[in-house]
Amino acid sequence: MFRFLSGFGSYWMLLGRVFAKPEKHSIYYRQTMKELVSLGLRSIGIVTIISFFMGAVITLQTAYNTENPIYPTYLIGLGARDSIILEFSSTIVALILAGKVGSNIASEIGTMRVTEQIDALELMGVNSASYIILPKVVASVLFNPFLTLISIITGITGGWIVGTSAGVITSQDYIYGIQYAFIPYYITYSLIKTVVFAFIITTVSAHQGYNVEGGSLEVGRASTKAVVYSSVTILLFNVILTQMLLS
Amino acid sequence: MIRAERISKSFGDRRVLTDISAVFEPGKTNLIIGKSGSGKTVFLKCLVGLLEVDEGELYYDNVLFTGLDFRGKKEIRQQMGMLFQGSALFDSMTVEENVRFPLDMFTTMSYQEKLDRVNFCLDRVHIVNSNRLFPSELSGGMKKRVAIARAIALKPRFLFCDEPNSGLDPKTSIVIDELIREITVELSMTTIVNTHDMNSVMENGEKIIFIEEGEKCWEGNKNEILKSDCRILNEFVFANALARQLKDSSG
Ligand SMILES: Nc1ncnc2c1ncn2[C@@H]1O[C@H](COP(=O)(O)OP(=O)(O)OP(=O)(O)O)[C@@H](O)[C@H]1O
Ligand SMILES: [Mg+2]
């Protein structure tokens, strides 16, 4: 319990340093561009693949669970669409990114800590927390909504391709279904969650990496902890945000 | 000039430094020697403020460093350069970017001016045609030299080196030692070097402080060190067979 509270305290203290006034804007801009590539662009592949197959599975499951002549089949399209937008493309994708991006951030920053690169920055008079972490937070918060949109589109496409080729739904019904009773606010809700989750993944993982003490063994531990803590925090905030935004 | 007064530092209930006082003068290579684990790195990190001291005061040119806030320390830090025990080069940047980093961060020089300065510093440490390499592509000795180049990029007034020649062969060590001594005189810096290498001691030791178990046991220069009657120091200095033989034969 004490460890939890002191960890919580050091997390907020670190955030305070991360959001201190940046020293040199041009350098922060350059770093943010780099992070957009390494955290954002390099995640498009995994998000696309997973979303395609999950969209397919969600569509098949919805179809087999509603095999009842009184349900019109276009409801399969509607059901798949809402599952993908509301839960899959924001929360599940965030959990996957917590695994990929979170461990990456924690081990990168942890290595900088144990090889004294962070000390070297501090010694020069650079605010190391802000210099290292802020570009990652900004890049993820800006880019992850695009990942979510990509995930929604590929997920729905996956459902369409696999659903029609498996013969559980016709193309017309699916397309009618995904447009039927569409609530645009669900997209907003999904994107708001994505932004919050992006912030959680980057800051929680960065905190784990930044406070590593010891050597490469501890760096490995920090990266595991980063994934676990950010995933749990995401699940918690998923409940809170859903209650706040949809009730 | 750097003055340390009665510095103490503990980690938890483990006392690592006890009451160390010392004065380090400009234009000189000051050495801190001691066994592995005696507290040299901790002392150096206290001097530069990477670790908070528990007790005692530090003065940089008569400014009380330990009393300054973050901004005040930052001003003095921009006059410091440090060579870390493991070089601490930024591994996501090339050699050139590493040396240019402090210039990018703290100067308003044009790109060409920065590049000239970078090449001058790299040239000074005898690194040529390696601007585009990454730290992972360098040997240990090259890393140290690039780290020295980065440390002197902003023409610091205070230079700190943590074991500049650990893990290097004797010949490369001597090159690095000479380099440090030369640039110290050139820029009339106050240089403080941690080492447990007796070769560097005999090479560079204008002022030597010997630390044992976190306490300062002895202070002097390289001529005095061989004649001292401090027992622990003698054990340290004459630890190797060659040194013992030399001492015995000279009576
Ligand atoms: N962050 C820390 N937390 C706890 N103990 C520490 C910490 N840093 C150093 N120590 C302890 O302080 C003592 C002195 O360590 P230090 O790194 O200063 O030794 P050193 O003289 O530099 O040795 P070496 O020549 O091997 O580099 C060691 O016993 C070490 O275990
Ligand atoms: Mg050391």
Side-chain angles (χ1 to χ4, degrees), chain B residues 40-42 85 162-163 194:
Chain B
K40 302 184 297 293
T41 300
V42 173
Q85 199 159 351
D162 196 359
E163 314 238 355
N194 270 355

Side-chain angles (χ1 to χ4, degrees), chain A residues 17 23-24 26-28 30-31 34 108 111-112 115-127 131, chain B residues 45 48 50 74 77-78 80-82 84-86 88-93 100-102 104-107 150:
Chain A
R17 292 194 53 210
E23 283 123 355
K24 222 165 175 184
S26 59
I27 293 184
Y28 276 75
R30 198 182 67 200
Q31 291 299 107
K34 268 194 195 167
E108 181 190 330
T111 305
M112 291 185 79
T115 56
E116 298 178 312
Q117 293 176 51
I118 291 182
D119 283 344
L121 285 169
E122 287 290 319
L123 186 99
M124 290 175 194
V126 176
N127 176 349
Y131 171 77
Chain B
K45 287 194 173 169
V48 300
L50 286 172
K74 194 172 149 177
R77 276 186 174 170
Q78 282 166 21
M80 293 181 188
M82 181 157 176
F84 288 85
Q85 199 159 351
L89 295 177
F90 303 126
D91 33 42
S92 59
M93 300 182 195
R100 209 179 62 212
F101 182 82
D104 282 343
M105 211 70 189
F106 298 112
T107 68
R150 183 177 70 183

Side-chain angles (χ1 to χ4, degrees), chain B residues 29 148 161 164 176-184 191 193:
Chain B
T29 313
I148 294 177
C161 305
I176 301 238
D177 284 338
E178 281 175 354
L179 199 60
I180 291 174
R181 198 182 48 216
E182 283 167 22
I183 51 186
T184 299
T191 299
V193 180

Side-chain angles (χ1 to χ4, degrees), chain B residues 11 14 16 35-43 85 163 196:
Chain B
F11 291 105
R14 198 149 161 250
V16 177
K35 285 202 297 248
S36 183
S38 54
K40 302 184 297 293
T41 300
V42 173
F43 183 56
Q85 199 159 351
E163 314 238 355
H196 50 213

